[in-house]
Amino acid sequence: NAGVTQTPKFRVLKTGQSMTLLCAQDMNHEYMYWYRQDPGMGLRLIHYSVGEGTTAKGEVPDGYNVSRLKKQNFLLGLESAAPSQTSVYFCASSYSREGHEQYFGPGTRLTVT
Amino acid sequence: GEDVEQSLFLSVREGDSSVINCTYTDSSSTYLYWYKQEPGAGLQLLTYIFSNMDMKQDQRLTVLLNKKDKHLSLRIADTQTGDSAIYFCAEGYSSASKIIFGSGTRLSIRP
């Protein structure tokens, strides 16, 4: 039981490049989330999903797209990376509507130059 | 709107109690959480309290909730070096699938 895994762990992009971050969970959770963590700002919700095939915008969705084609996977895409997207990205999943006991992945550190 | 605030740093001596404080603005939240983040890792849920409770104790952890002042605290008794981490306060809602996180308090332990 691996829990929540994220790939890659680190990535450096040039401005304008695109990439996809992959999150996978093996706990059969319905709900999945993408956050970004910046110094002194805590975690901010980018997008989330309440089930396979559904996605919704969070607090800071601009510049990101997501897809949930399979229940266990939640993909975060950057179509044209900008330096402002330099951050640590965390994926999380939960089984309850209330969202408590979110299980977090180890994070992806992304630098955009 | 929804806002959760914490002080950024706390330093305590090993063996003392640590008290991490948090204030929030939205009284409609259903749950209040404390998450712990160790270096290089994701967040882990430490404990949570329903908004209709005043206190919850779990081994070395005590959570106090003052609904009138919208103030939440986490007390760690007998603080150990392994407690060094960033602690996030967060509030959650039964009507929405999201949690609002504070900016985190970095707890450091002095020998």
Side-chain angles (χ1 to χ4, degrees):
Chain A
N1 192 340
V4 180
T5 58
Q6 293 181 232
T7 51
K9 288 187 169 47
F10 303 94
R11 185 73 186 268
V12 179
L13 286 180
K14 290 187 179 358
T15 297
Q17 287 185 318
S18 63
M19 78 162 293
T20 300
L21 282 68
L22 171 64
C23 175
Q25 52 95 4
D26 60 3
M27 296 173 283
N28 202 34
H29 286 170
E30 288 292 335
Y31 300 85
M32 296 187 75
Y33 314 82
W34 274 108
Y35 294 91
R36 59 177 288 173
Q37 183 181 32
D38 301 295
M41 297 190 73
L43 274 75
R44 292 183 291 168
L45 183 64
I46 304 171
H47 286 279
Y48 64 101
S49 168
V50 301
E52 181 179 319
T54 70
T55 63
K57 292 181 180 179
E59 183 186 353
V60 288
D62 295 341
Y64 305 95
N65 57 74
V66 286
S67 64
R68 184 99 180 266
L69 298 178
K70 291 183 180 180
K71 186 176 182 178
Q72 63 267 34
N73 295 338
F74 194 29
L75 278 63
L76 178 72
L78 286 73
E79 289 188 352
S80 179
S84 62
Q85 294 177 304
T86 293
S87 189
V88 181
Y89 291 86
F90 288 99
C91 176
S93 70
S94 69
Y95 59 84
S96 70
R97 174 179 171 79
E98 289 76 17
H100 89 262
E101 294 196 65
Q102 287 190 8
Y103 293 80
F104 282 79
T108 296
R109 185 175 292 277
L110 175 66
T111 303
V112 183
T113 62
Chain B
E2 307 145 342
D3 196 17
V4 179
E5 294 192 355
Q6 307 175 236
S7 53
L8 291 181
F9 301 101
L10 177 66
S11 175
V12 299
R13 196 182 303 276
E14 188 175 0
D16 287 352
S17 292
S18 307
V19 180
I20 304 171
N21 295 302
C22 168
T23 57
Y24 58 97
T25 56
D26 190 345
S27 57
S28 67
S29 54
T30 309
Y31 304 88
L32 293 140
Y33 311 95
W34 284 105
Y35 278 82
K36 177 182 181 181
Q37 183 183 31
E38 296 184 355
L43 279 68
Q44 282 186 298
L45 181 66
L46 262 186
T47 186
Y48 68 95
I49 188 169
F50 291 100
S51 59
N52 60 359
M53 294 170 63
D54 296 323
M55 186 182 92
K56 181 177 181 182
Q57 187 148 7
D58 184 2
Q59 299 183 329
R60 291 191 299 123
L61 306 178
T62 303
V63 178
L64 293 176
L65 176 60
N66 181 328
K67 289 184 284 294
K68 176 174 168 291
D69 295 337
K70 299 193 185 79
H71 181 266
L72 183 73
S73 67
L74 173 69
R75 178 176 180 271
I76 306 173
D78 187 23
T79 308
Q80 303 298 309
T81 54
D83 296 322
S84 292
I86 302 176
Y87 291 82
F88 290 89
C89 169
E91 55 177 345
Y93 306 81
S94 59
S95 59
S97 302
K98 63 178 183 178
I99 296 177
I100 307 298
F101 287 88
S103 54
T105 299
R106 183 179 295 274
L107 175 64
S108 60
I109 315 301
R110 306 191 301 272

Tab-separated table of all heavy atoms in Angstrom, chain A residues 34-84:
chain	number	residue	atom	x	y	z
A	34	TRP	N	-4.921	19.137	-5.749
A	34	TRP	CA	-3.584	19.656	-6.027
A	34	TRP	C	-3.424	20.990	-5.299
A	34	TRP	O	-4.270	21.893	-5.435
A	34	TRP	CB	-3.365	19.890	-7.524
A	34	TRP	CG	-2.911	18.679	-8.258
A	34	TRP	CD1	-3.618	17.918	-9.131
A	34	TRP	CD2	-1.600	18.086	-8.196
A	34	TRP	NE1	-2.865	16.888	-9.602
A	34	TRP	CE2	-1.618	16.961	-9.046
A	34	TRP	CE3	-0.430	18.394	-7.500
A	34	TRP	CZ2	-0.500	16.146	-9.237
A	34	TRP	CZ3	0.667	17.581	-7.684
A	34	TRP	CH2	0.639	16.482	-8.543
A	35	TYR	N	-2.312	21.100	-4.526
A	35	TYR	CA	-1.973	22.326	-3.815
A	35	TYR	C	-0.596	22.796	-4.284
A	35	TYR	O	0.230	22.013	-4.725
A	35	TYR	CB	-1.855	22.066	-2.307
A	35	TYR	CG	-3.114	21.683	-1.591
A	35	TYR	CD1	-3.470	20.343	-1.442
A	35	TYR	CD2	-3.935	22.650	-1.015
A	35	TYR	CE1	-4.628	19.987	-0.745
A	35	TYR	CE2	-5.087	22.297	-0.320
A	35	TYR	CZ	-5.415	20.967	-0.193
A	35	TYR	OH	-6.556	20.623	0.497
A	36	ARG	N	-0.355	24.085	-4.073
A	36	ARG	CA	1.003	24.591	-4.173
A	36	ARG	C	1.368	25.210	-2.826
A	36	ARG	O	0.522	25.778	-2.123
A	36	ARG	CB	1.177	25.583	-5.325
A	36	ARG	CG	0.303	26.808	-5.287
A	36	ARG	CD	0.636	27.738	-6.465
A	36	ARG	NE	1.926	28.399	-6.298
A	36	ARG	CZ	2.518	29.151	-7.223
A	36	ARG	NH1	1.934	29.345	-8.394
A	36	ARG	NH2	3.684	29.724	-6.986
A	37	GLN	N	2.647	25.061	-2.482
A	37	GLN	CA	3.137	25.587	-1.210
A	37	GLN	C	4.264	26.559	-1.482
A	37	GLN	O	5.283	26.199	-2.077
A	37	GLN	CB	3.632	24.461	-0.296
A	37	GLN	CG	4.078	24.961	1.072
A	37	GLN	CD	4.580	23.847	1.970
A	37	GLN	OE1	5.146	22.861	1.507
A	37	GLN	NE2	4.361	23.993	3.269
A	38	ASP	N	4.067	27.786	-1.053
A	38	ASP	CA	5.079	28.837	-1.216
A	38	ASP	C	5.457	29.361	0.157
A	38	ASP	O	4.636	29.350	1.082
A	38	ASP	CB	4.509	29.967	-2.085
A	38	ASP	CG	4.099	29.464	-3.451
A	38	ASP	OD1	5.001	29.047	-4.200
A	38	ASP	OD2	2.894	29.453	-3.763
A	39	PRO	N	6.709	29.808	0.307
A	39	PRO	CA	7.185	30.251	1.634
A	39	PRO	C	6.256	31.282	2.254
A	39	PRO	O	5.898	32.271	1.617
A	39	PRO	CB	8.558	30.840	1.313
A	39	PRO	CG	8.996	30.149	0.069
A	39	PRO	CD	7.751	29.920	-0.733
A	40	GLY	N	5.891	31.058	3.511
A	40	GLY	CA	5.077	32.007	4.251
A	40	GLY	C	3.626	32.083	3.826
A	40	GLY	O	2.888	32.931	4.327
A	41	MET	N	3.210	31.213	2.899
A	41	MET	CA	1.834	31.313	2.393
A	41	MET	C	1.032	30.042	2.614
A	41	MET	O	-0.099	29.956	2.196
A	41	MET	CB	1.848	31.647	0.907
A	41	MET	CG	2.470	32.993	0.614
A	41	MET	SD	2.246	33.508	-1.080
A	41	MET	CE	0.525	33.924	-1.066
A	42	GLY	N	1.613	29.038	3.256
A	42	GLY	CA	0.852	27.825	3.483
A	42	GLY	C	0.529	27.120	2.186
A	42	GLY	O	1.203	27.297	1.171
A	43	LEU	N	-0.514	26.342	2.208
A	43	LEU	CA	-0.937	25.600	1.017
A	43	LEU	C	-2.128	26.300	0.384
A	43	LEU	O	-3.055	26.704	1.082
A	43	LEU	CB	-1.345	24.172	1.379
A	43	LEU	CG	-0.227	23.155	1.426
A	43	LEU	CD1	0.605	23.336	2.663
A	43	LEU	CD2	-0.797	21.741	1.380
A	44	ARG	N	-2.087	26.404	-0.917
A	44	ARG	CA	-3.221	26.979	-1.641
A	44	ARG	C	-3.740	25.958	-2.644
A	44	ARG	O	-2.967	25.346	-3.376
A	44	ARG	CB	-2.797	28.269	-2.350
A	44	ARG	CG	-2.476	29.417	-1.377
A	44	ARG	CD	-2.133	30.690	-2.105
A	44	ARG	NE	-0.859	30.585	-2.793
A	44	ARG	CZ	-0.412	31.455	-3.688
A	44	ARG	NH1	-1.160	32.506	-4.014
A	44	ARG	NH2	0.763	31.302	-4.261
A	45	LEU	N	-5.045	25.802	-2.662
A	45	LEU	CA	-5.675	24.790	-3.498
A	45	LEU	C	-5.724	25.262	-4.950
A	45	LEU	O	-6.247	26.347	-5.246
A	45	LEU	CB	-7.086	24.508	-2.982
A	45	LEU	CG	-7.878	23.417	-3.682
A	45	LEU	CD1	-7.201	22.058	-3.495
A	45	LEU	CD2	-9.296	23.379	-3.129
A	46	ILE	N	-5.226	24.436	-5.859
A	46	ILE	CA	-5.195	24.795	-7.278
A	46	ILE	C	-6.465	24.270	-7.956
A	46	ILE	O	-7.262	25.027	-8.513
A	46	ILE	CB	-3.958	24.207	-7.980
A	46	ILE	CG1	-2.682	24.662	-7.267
A	46	ILE	CG2	-3.917	24.648	-9.443
A	46	ILE	CD1	-1.421	23.944	-7.762
A	47	HIS	N	-6.625	22.960	-7.940
A	47	HIS	CA	-7.816	22.288	-8.484
A	47	HIS	C	-8.101	21.081	-7.612
A	47	HIS	O	-7.213	20.591	-6.916
A	47	HIS	CB	-7.576	21.795	-9.920
A	47	HIS	CG	-7.554	22.843	-10.970
A	47	HIS	ND1	-8.692	23.387	-11.523
A	47	HIS	CD2	-6.510	23.438	-11.594
A	47	HIS	CE1	-8.352	24.265	-12.446
A	47	HIS	NE2	-7.030	24.327	-12.523
A	48	TYR	N	-9.327	20.581	-7.706
A	48	TYR	CA	-9.642	19.360	-7.000
A	48	TYR	C	-10.649	18.546	-7.809
A	48	TYR	O	-11.194	19.023	-8.814
A	48	TYR	CB	-10.158	19.635	-5.580
A	48	TYR	CG	-11.465	20.391	-5.501
A	48	TYR	CD1	-12.661	19.715	-5.258
A	48	TYR	CD2	-11.495	21.778	-5.599
A	48	TYR	CE1	-13.856	20.411	-5.156
A	48	TYR	CE2	-12.686	22.473	-5.505
A	48	TYR	CZ	-13.859	21.794	-5.274
A	48	TYR	OH	-15.050	22.475	-5.171
A	49	SER	N	-10.852	17.325	-7.357
A	49	SER	CA	-11.758	16.422	-8.065
A	49	SER	C	-12.561	15.628	-7.038
A	49	SER	O	-11.991	15.123	-6.062
A	49	SER	CB	-10.953	15.464	-8.950
A	49	SER	OG	-11.763	14.415	-9.424
A	50	VAL	N	-13.848	15.525	-7.274
A	50	VAL	CA	-14.704	14.774	-6.344
A	50	VAL	C	-15.049	13.396	-6.900
A	50	VAL	O	-15.871	12.682	-6.314
A	50	VAL	CB	-15.975	15.555	-5.976
A	50	VAL	CG1	-15.602	16.882	-5.329
A	50	VAL	CG2	-16.865	15.781	-7.189
A	51	GLY	N	-14.443	13.032	-8.006
A	51	GLY	CA	-14.666	11.698	-8.547
A	51	GLY	C	-14.114	11.594	-9.951
A	51	GLY	O	-13.789	12.606	-10.590
A	52	GLU	N	-14.019	10.368	-10.424
A	52	GLU	CA	-13.500	10.117	-11.768
A	52	GLU	C	-14.289	10.927	-12.790
A	52	GLU	O	-15.526	10.956	-12.770
A	52	GLU	CB	-13.622	8.622	-12.067
A	52	GLU	CG	-13.090	8.208	-13.414
A	52	GLU	CD	-13.235	6.695	-13.622
A	52	GLU	OE1	-12.986	5.947	-12.674
A	52	GLU	OE2	-13.616	6.290	-14.729
A	53	GLY	N	-13.555	11.614	-13.661
A	53	GLY	CA	-14.202	12.382	-14.716
A	53	GLY	C	-14.659	13.762	-14.324
A	53	GLY	O	-15.204	14.489	-15.163
A	54	THR	N	-14.466	14.155	-13.070
A	54	THR	CA	-14.908	15.493	-12.622
A	54	THR	C	-13.729	16.267	-12.051
A	54	THR	O	-12.852	15.697	-11.391
A	54	THR	CB	-15.980	15.410	-11.522
A	54	THR	OG1	-15.378	14.932	-10.313
A	54	THR	CG2	-17.111	14.483	-11.913
A	55	THR	N	-13.712	17.577	-12.323
A	55	THR	CA	-12.704	18.454	-11.742
A	55	THR	C	-13.348	19.790	-11.406
A	55	THR	O	-14.405	20.127	-11.964
A	55	THR	CB	-11.507	18.693	-12.687
A	55	THR	OG1	-11.965	19.365	-13.856
A	55	THR	CG2	-10.826	17.391	-13.081
A	56	ALA	N	-12.719	20.533	-10.505
A	56	ALA	CA	-13.241	21.839	-10.119
A	56	ALA	C	-12.084	22.760	-9.776
A	56	ALA	O	-10.999	22.293	-9.391
A	56	ALA	CB	-14.190	21.703	-8.922
A	57	LYS	N	-12.309	24.059	-9.903
A	57	LYS	CA	-11.268	25.035	-9.621
A	57	LYS	C	-11.171	25.295	-8.132
A	57	LYS	O	-12.169	25.322	-7.416
A	57	LYS	CB	-11.578	26.358	-10.339
A	57	LYS	CG	-11.479	26.265	-11.841
A	57	LYS	CD	-11.769	27.602	-12.489
A	57	LYS	CE	-11.671	27.494	-14.001
A	57	LYS	NZ	-11.963	28.784	-14.673
A	58	GLY	N	-9.934	25.503	-7.709
A	58	GLY	CA	-9.695	25.889	-6.335
A	58	GLY	C	-9.432	27.371	-6.227
A	58	GLY	O	-9.984	28.178	-6.974
A	59	GLU	N	-8.528	27.709	-5.320
A	59	GLU	CA	-8.242	29.125	-5.020
A	59	GLU	C	-7.370	29.779	-6.085
A	59	GLU	O	-7.536	30.958	-6.405
A	59	GLU	CB	-7.535	29.184	-3.659
A	59	GLU	CG	-7.228	30.553	-3.132
A	59	GLU	CD	-6.401	30.485	-1.848
A	59	GLU	OE1	-6.203	29.375	-1.320
A	59	GLU	OE2	-5.943	31.539	-1.390
A	60	VAL	N	-6.402	29.028	-6.661
A	60	VAL	CA	-5.440	29.612	-7.598
A	60	VAL	C	-5.329	28.758	-8.863
A	60	VAL	O	-4.281	28.179	-9.142
A	60	VAL	CB	-4.052	29.799	-6.934
A	60	VAL	CG1	-4.071	30.926	-5.930
A	60	VAL	CG2	-3.576	28.505	-6.266
A	61	PRO	N	-6.367	28.668	-9.687
A	61	PRO	CA	-6.362	27.739	-10.822
A	61	PRO	C	-5.680	28.249	-12.092
A	61	PRO	O	-5.363	27.450	-12.978
A	61	PRO	CB	-7.856	27.549	-11.080
A	61	PRO	CG	-8.459	28.867	-10.690
A	61	PRO	CD	-7.640	29.359	-9.522
A	62	ASP	N	-5.442	29.562	-12.172
A	62	ASP	CA	-4.956	30.125	-13.441
A	62	ASP	C	-3.578	29.595	-13.812
A	62	ASP	O	-2.665	29.590	-13.000
A	62	ASP	CB	-4.934	31.657	-13.359
A	62	ASP	CG	-6.329	32.231	-13.224
A	62	ASP	OD1	-7.309	31.511	-13.556
A	62	ASP	OD2	-6.454	33.398	-12.805
A	63	GLY	N	-3.454	29.186	-15.079
A	63	GLY	CA	-2.181	28.683	-15.577
A	63	GLY	C	-2.029	27.178	-15.427
A	63	GLY	O	-1.006	26.622	-15.826
A	64	TYR	N	-3.045	26.522	-14.862
A	64	TYR	CA	-2.999	25.071	-14.627
A	64	TYR	C	-4.242	24.411	-15.219
A	64	TYR	O	-5.326	25.002	-15.249
A	64	TYR	CB	-2.966	24.751	-13.140
A	64	TYR	CG	-1.856	25.401	-12.356
A	64	TYR	CD1	-2.066	26.596	-11.689
A	64	TYR	CD2	-0.593	24.822	-12.280
A	64	TYR	CE1	-1.065	27.204	-10.964
A	64	TYR	CE2	0.420	25.417	-11.548
A	64	TYR	CZ	0.170	26.611	-10.889
A	64	TYR	OH	1.174	27.202	-10.167
A	65	ASN	N	-4.075	23.160	-15.663
A	65	ASN	CA	-5.229	22.351	-16.023
A	65	ASN	C	-5.069	20.984	-15.364
A	65	ASN	O	-3.956	20.582	-15.002
A	65	ASN	CB	-5.373	22.230	-17.537
A	65	ASN	CG	-4.122	21.657	-18.191
A	65	ASN	OD1	-3.847	20.461	-18.094
A	65	ASN	ND2	-3.353	22.508	-18.834
A	66	VAL	N	-6.177	20.293	-15.186
A	66	VAL	CA	-6.147	18.992	-14.515
A	66	VAL	C	-7.031	18.007	-15.268
A	66	VAL	O	-7.922	18.398	-16.036
A	66	VAL	CB	-6.635	19.079	-13.048
A	66	VAL	CG1	-5.602	19.739	-12.156
A	66	VAL	CG2	-7.980	19.780	-12.955
A	67	SER	N	-6.766	16.734	-15.025
A	67	SER	CA	-7.643	15.702	-15.560
A	67	SER	C	-7.690	14.534	-14.606
A	67	SER	O	-6.701	14.211	-13.939
A	67	SER	CB	-7.184	15.253	-16.949
A	67	SER	OG	-5.926	14.640	-16.883
A	68	ARG	N	-8.856	13.887	-14.549
A	68	ARG	CA	-9.068	12.731	-13.666
A	68	ARG	C	-9.767	11.661	-14.517
A	68	ARG	O	-10.939	11.371	-14.360
A	68	ARG	CB	-9.947	13.137	-12.480
A	68	ARG	CG	-10.125	12.007	-11.473
A	68	ARG	CD	-9.233	12.131	-10.300
A	68	ARG	NE	-9.417	11.032	-9.361
A	68	ARG	CZ	-10.234	11.081	-8.316
A	68	ARG	NH1	-10.972	12.165	-8.103
A	68	ARG	NH2	-10.323	10.062	-7.497
A	69	LEU	N	-8.987	11.066	-15.409
A	69	LEU	CA	-9.553	10.062	-16.311
A	69	LEU	C	-9.737	8.728	-15.608
A	69	LEU	O	-10.624	7.938	-15.954
A	69	LEU	CB	-8.668	9.891	-17.546
A	69	LEU	CG	-8.523	11.151	-18.407
A	69	LEU	CD1	-7.587	10.893	-19.576
A	69	LEU	CD2	-9.888	11.613	-18.899
A	70	LYS	N	-8.884	8.460	-14.617
A	70	LYS	CA	-9.008	7.243	-13.830
A	70	LYS	C	-9.115	7.634	-12.369
A	70	LYS	O	-8.503	8.622	-11.941
A	70	LYS	CB	-7.787	6.342	-14.011
A	70	LYS	CG	-7.641	5.719	-15.376
A	70	LYS	CD	-6.422	4.798	-15.391
A	70	LYS	CE	-6.258	4.149	-16.748
A	70	LYS	NZ	-5.084	3.244	-16.775
A	71	LYS	N	-9.839	6.891	-11.599
A	71	LYS	CA	-10.084	7.226	-10.199
A	71	LYS	C	-8.782	7.361	-9.428
A	71	LYS	O	-8.664	8.220	-8.561
A	71	LYS	CB	-10.951	6.143	-9.564
A	71	LYS	CG	-11.387	6.441	-8.146
A	71	LYS	CD	-12.304	5.356	-7.643
A	71	LYS	CE	-12.793	5.672	-6.247
A	71	LYS	NZ	-13.725	4.634	-5.764
A	72	GLN	N	-7.800	6.537	-9.747
A	72	GLN	CA	-6.588	6.539	-8.939
A	72	GLN	C	-5.581	7.608	-9.344
A	72	GLN	O	-4.595	7.813	-8.642
A	72	GLN	CB	-5.919	5.153	-8.990
A	72	GLN	CG	-5.437	4.729	-10.377
A	72	GLN	CD	-6.481	3.904	-11.124
A	72	GLN	OE1	-7.679	4.135	-10.973
A	72	GLN	NE2	-6.016	2.968	-11.928
A	73	ASN	N	-5.810	8.281	-10.467
A	73	ASN	CA	-4.812	9.250	-10.952
A	73	ASN	C	-5.397	10.656	-11.078
A	73	ASN	O	-6.544	10.821	-11.530
A	73	ASN	CB	-4.281	8.829	-12.334
A	73	ASN	CG	-3.505	7.536	-12.293
A	73	ASN	OD1	-3.007	7.140	-11.249
A	73	ASN	ND2	-3.412	6.876	-13.429
A	74	PHE	N	-4.577	11.649	-10.752
A	74	PHE	CA	-4.993	13.043	-10.895
A	74	PHE	C	-3.801	13.777	-11.483
A	74	PHE	O	-2.737	13.823	-10.864
A	74	PHE	CB	-5.401	13.600	-9.537
A	74	PHE	CG	-6.162	14.889	-9.579
A	74	PHE	CD1	-6.976	15.232	-10.657
A	74	PHE	CD2	-6.117	15.774	-8.508
A	74	PHE	CE1	-7.697	16.407	-10.676
A	74	PHE	CE2	-6.843	16.959	-8.506
A	74	PHE	CZ	-7.629	17.270	-9.591
A	75	LEU	N	-3.955	14.293	-12.684
A	75	LEU	CA	-2.845	14.923	-13.389
A	75	LEU	C	-2.967	16.446	-13.331
A	75	LEU	O	-4.058	16.998	-13.507
A	75	LEU	CB	-2.842	14.501	-14.858
A	75	LEU	CG	-2.201	13.146	-15.202
A	75	LEU	CD1	-2.930	11.997	-14.562
A	75	LEU	CD2	-2.128	12.955	-16.695
A	76	LEU	N	-1.827	17.105	-13.122
A	76	LEU	CA	-1.766	18.560	-13.126
A	76	LEU	C	-0.879	19.002	-14.271
A	76	LEU	O	0.275	18.577	-14.345
A	76	LEU	CB	-1.203	19.092	-11.805
A	76	LEU	CG	-1.039	20.606	-11.700
A	76	LEU	CD1	-2.400	21.298	-11.571
A	76	LEU	CD2	-0.159	20.978	-10.501
A	77	GLY	N	-1.416	19.823	-15.166
A	77	GLY	CA	-0.657	20.267	-16.321
A	77	GLY	C	-0.351	21.754	-16.278
A	77	GLY	O	-1.173	22.552	-15.813
A	78	LEU	N	0.860	22.074	-16.728
A	78	LEU	CA	1.238	23.469	-16.946
A	78	LEU	C	1.476	23.593	-18.442
A	78	LEU	O	2.384	22.954	-18.980
A	78	LEU	CB	2.516	23.830	-16.194
A	78	LEU	CG	2.463	24.009	-14.688
A	78	LEU	CD1	2.312	22.698	-13.959
A	78	LEU	CD2	3.713	24.741	-14.213
A	79	GLU	N	0.669	24.377	-19.140
A	79	GLU	CA	0.795	24.464	-20.601
A	79	GLU	C	1.945	25.356	-21.033
A	79	GLU	O	2.636	25.088	-21.997
A	79	GLU	CB	-0.515	24.975	-21.192
A	79	GLU	CG	-1.640	23.953	-21.127
A	79	GLU	CD	-2.869	24.411	-21.881
A	79	GLU	OE1	-2.899	25.573	-22.327
A	79	GLU	OE2	-3.807	23.611	-22.008
A	80	SER	N	2.156	26.439	-20.284
A	80	SER	CA	3.217	27.393	-20.621
A	80	SER	C	3.771	27.943	-19.307
A	80	SER	O	3.247	28.906	-18.770
A	80	SER	CB	2.670	28.518	-21.495
A	80	SER	OG	3.682	29.453	-21.803
A	81	ALA	N	4.817	27.277	-18.801
A	81	ALA	CA	5.303	27.580	-17.457
A	81	ALA	C	5.833	29.015	-17.347
A	81	ALA	O	6.444	29.555	-18.272
A	81	ALA	CB	6.391	26.589	-17.068
A	82	ALA	N	5.584	29.595	-16.154
A	82	ALA	CA	6.069	30.947	-15.846
A	82	ALA	C	6.857	30.895	-14.540
A	82	ALA	O	6.596	30.024	-13.698
A	82	ALA	CB	4.882	31.892	-15.699
A	83	PRO	N	7.812	31.814	-14.348
A	83	PRO	CA	8.586	31.820	-13.093
A	83	PRO	C	7.697	31.879	-11.852
A	83	PRO	O	8.073	31.341	-10.800
A	83	PRO	CB	9.454	33.072	-13.237
A	83	PRO	CG	9.644	33.217	-14.702
A	83	PRO	CD	8.340	32.801	-15.324
A	84	SER	N	6.517	32.493	-11.945
A	84	SER	CA	5.613	32.567	-10.797
A	84	SER	C	5.075	31.197	-10.387
A	84	SER	O	4.474	31.065	-9.309
A	84	SER	CB	4.434	33.503	-11.116
A	84	SER	OG	3.698	32.990	-12.215
